[in-house]
């Protein structure tokens, strides 16, 4: 029966092609949707994932990295006092208004004040040492190359942030943030651009490097128990990145819409695939009736249909994976925020296979028409 299912697919491939395309298209939609969701919401934590710090110290109750509040610089002293901490680095966040040389109007930007040293942790994965060194110039800023058009500048152009003159000294990839444009500057430049004088002696976060990153969770809990240096909380980098992503995905309501859309894609794909499989089985109903007349039971025929549904799903998934890889490569070259993890891809492909098998179960109803008496009509 299994061999019969495969031979039927090969011989009657035109009948099953629409079902294969339906599964492949539904699988491709799920893969791209998951990659887009992970890419967009993952950019909310680009400040964390693009850096090499193991711990983040910030204001208690901070839900996302972009919602940080100033904390005392004494917190840095507390971190340095811990024997497991090898390096501490400040990070200054400034909400600002950008005015470019072209008539683009005001653009809301986030200024990330970082240490421009070659061995600094902030954005160490996105900024090579030679590019970081350019931030030592007063008023120098670096932007993501995908944001050049929205900011209305090119490399070497000057602009104004909060009324202060800055110059774009370079561009990089992996700096795009969710909710606004990310501008990277040195800590000194960020201090000049900050229009809140009451925060002059404070930082938004402190990032720490550990001797043993595997102990990050334990050390974060130990450091958070002390309030002698003012209110602050310490998170592991992984915990804070996940917290920021979940905030944008769930608390803002955007994630609910995405999950609803994913359910619609699965439902529509199941309906279309089941209908195309039913049409293919009905087209071969006389052959099934002949097999039934020869003594092949309904159970064996159901196995044939389920085997066909499996191969329809497998072929559709292969097509979606090939096309998906090509589209992801194009998206990456176009700076589209798309990211797909192996586990997420496996879940999407499993759902696509489940879609095909559920469609096969729905197709079994058409076997009732495979009556040997129909051959006499």
């Amino acid at each position: 029966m299994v061999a019969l299912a495969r031979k039927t697919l090969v011989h009657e491939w035109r009948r099953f092609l629409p079902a294969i395309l339906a599964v492949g298209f539904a699988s491709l939609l799920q893969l791209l949707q998951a990659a887009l969701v992970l890419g967009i919401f993952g950019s909310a934590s680009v400040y964390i994932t693009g850096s090499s710090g193991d711990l983040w110290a910030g204001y208690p109750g901070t839900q996302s990295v972009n919602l940080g509040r100033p904390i005392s610089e004494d917190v840095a002293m507390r971190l340095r006092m811990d024997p497991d901490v090898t390096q501490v680095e400040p990070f200054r966040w400034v909400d600002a208004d950008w005015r470019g040389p072209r008539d683009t109007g005001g653009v809301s930007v986030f200024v990330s004040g970082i240490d421009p040293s070659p061995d600094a942790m902030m954005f160490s994965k996105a900024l090579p040492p030679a590019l970081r060194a350019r931030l030592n110039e007063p008023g120098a800023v670096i932007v993501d190359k995908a944001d050049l058009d929205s900011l209305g500048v090119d490399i070497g152009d000057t602009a104004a942030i909060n009324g202060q003159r800055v110059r774009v000294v370079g561009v990089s990839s992996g700096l795009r943030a969710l909710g606004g444009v990310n501008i990277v500057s040195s800590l000194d430049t960020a201090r000049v651009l900050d229009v809140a004088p009451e925060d002059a002696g404070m930082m938004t976060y402190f990032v720490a490097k550990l001797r043993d990153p595997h102990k990050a969770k334990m050390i974060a809990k130990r450091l958070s128990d002390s309030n002698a240096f003012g209110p602050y909380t310490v998170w592991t980098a992984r915990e804070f990145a996940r917290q920021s992503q979940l905030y944008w995905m769930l608390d803002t309501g955007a994630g609910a819409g995405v999950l609803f859309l994913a359910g619609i894609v699965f439902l529509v794909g199941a309906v279309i695939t089941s209908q195309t499989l039913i049409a293919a089985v009905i087209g071969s109903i006389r052959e099934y009736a002949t097999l039934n007349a020869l003594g092949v039971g309904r159970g064996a025929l159901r196995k044939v249909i389920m085997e066909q549904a499996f191969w329809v799903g497998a072929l559709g998934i292969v097509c979606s994976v090939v096309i998906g890889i090509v589209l992801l490569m194009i998206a990456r070259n176009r700076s589209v925020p798309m990211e797909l993890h192996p586990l997420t891809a496996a879940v999407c492909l499993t759902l696509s296979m489940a879609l095909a098998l559920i469609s096969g179960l729905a197709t079994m109803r058409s076997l009732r028409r495979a009556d040997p008496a129909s051959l006499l009509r």
Side-chain angles (χ1 to χ4, degrees), residues 48 52-57 79 82-86 207-225 233-241:
I48 307 168
S52 56
D54 299 314
L55 297 180
W56 281 66
L79 297 177
D82 194 285
D84 289 311
V85 176
T86 60
V207 185
K209 191 76 172 176
L210 301 178
R211 298 183 190 278
D212 186 1
H214 296 95
K215 299 180 180 179
K217 194 169 184 179
M218 178 189 68
I219 298 172
K221 185 178 184 305
R222 184 177 68 212
L223 291 171
S224 297
D225 291 338
T233 300
V234 180
W235 305 272
T236 66
R238 183 175 182 179
E239 176 188 4
F240 197 29

Side-chain angles (χ1 to χ4, degrees), residues 7-346:
K7 290 180 179 179
T8 303
L9 279 174
V10 174
H11 184 70
E12 301 288 346
W13 64 271
R14 291 180 180 85
R15 289 181 180 175
F16 291 95
L17 181 60
I20 295 173
L21 294 178
V23 174
F25 187 68
S27 177
L28 180 63
L29 279 179
Q30 291 181 9
L31 286 172
L32 295 181
Q33 183 176 258
L36 194 58
V37 168
L38 292 177
I40 292 176
F41 291 114
S43 63
S45 61
V46 66
Y47 309 92
I48 307 168
T49 57
S51 305
S52 56
D54 299 314
L55 297 180
W56 281 66
Y59 197 85
T62 302
Q63 296 176 294
S64 177
V65 64
N66 65 300
L67 301 177
R69 296 171 59 184
I71 59 176
S72 173
E73 292 193 7
D74 293 339
V75 176
M77 182 62 67
R78 171 66 185 93
L79 297 177
R80 292 190 179 97
M81 290 168 56
D82 194 285
D84 289 311
V85 176
T86 60
Q87 183 180 354
V88 177
E89 181 180 316
F91 172 49
R92 192 182 192 94
W93 176 288
V94 180
D95 291 321
D97 178 73
W98 172 282
R99 300 282 176 172
R102 304 173 194 170
D103 188 15
T104 58
V107 180
S108 296
V109 298
F110 306 139
V111 178
S112 299
I114 66 172
D115 185 354
S117 302
D119 59 344
M121 294 177 285
M122 284 303 303
F123 294 115
S124 60
K125 300 177 183 178
L127 300 177
L131 186 58
R132 298 178 71 94
R134 301 180 189 177
L135 293 176
N136 288 306
E137 174 188 334
V141 296
I142 297 174
V143 302
D144 193 283
K145 64 179 182 181
D147 292 326
L148 288 175
D149 290 337
S150 60
L151 295 175
V153 292
D154 290 317
I155 299 178
D157 288 349
T158 59
I161 298 180
N162 287 344
Q164 301 292 327
R165 180 181 176 276
V166 296
R167 189 171 77 90
V168 179
V169 296
V171 296
S172 182
S173 298
L175 297 176
R176 299 194 79 178
L178 184 61
V181 178
N182 185 28
I183 307 294
V184 181
S185 73
S186 67
L187 288 167
D188 293 336
T189 299
R191 186 177 292 108
V192 173
L193 299 177
D194 197 345
V195 294
E198 65 275 11
D199 299 336
M202 308 179 80
M203 289 293 170
T204 313
Y205 297 101
F206 289 98
V207 185
K209 191 76 172 176
L210 301 178
R211 298 183 190 278
D212 186 1
H214 296 95
K215 299 180 180 179
K217 194 169 184 179
M218 178 189 68
I219 298 172
K221 185 178 184 305
R222 184 177 68 212
L223 291 171
S224 297
D225 291 338
S226 173
N227 290 323
F229 297 84
Y232 73 95
T233 300
V234 180
W235 305 272
T236 66
R238 183 175 182 179
E239 176 188 4
F240 197 29
R242 180 177 177 82
Q243 180 176 308
S244 300
Q245 294 170 5
L246 290 179
Y247 170 79
W248 280 95
M249 187 177 297
L250 301 179
D251 293 352
T252 61
V258 171
L259 294 176
F260 177 77
L261 182 59
I264 294 298
V265 169
F266 183 82
L267 180 61
V268 172
V271 171
I272 295 176
T273 305
S274 63
Q275 293 302 312
T276 52
L277 276 176
I278 289 173
V281 171
I282 291 177
S284 304
I285 201 68
R286 292 182 64 84
E287 287 79 359
Y288 286 115
T290 301
L291 289 173
N292 197 5
L294 293 174
V296 178
R298 293 290 179 89
L301 294 179
R302 292 190 181 97
K303 291 181 180 179
V304 172
I305 291 179
M306 291 305 297
E307 178 74 13
Q308 290 173 341
F310 171 81
W311 285 110
V312 165
L315 293 173
I317 286 174
V318 170
C319 294
S320 68
V321 169
V322 173
I323 299 175
I325 291 175
V326 174
L327 293 179
L328 287 175
M329 293 175 61
I330 295 175
R332 179 168 296 182
N333 291 332
R334 296 289 182 177
S335 298
V336 178
M338 299 186 76
E339 183 180 356
L340 192 60
H341 304 300
L343 179 60
T344 305

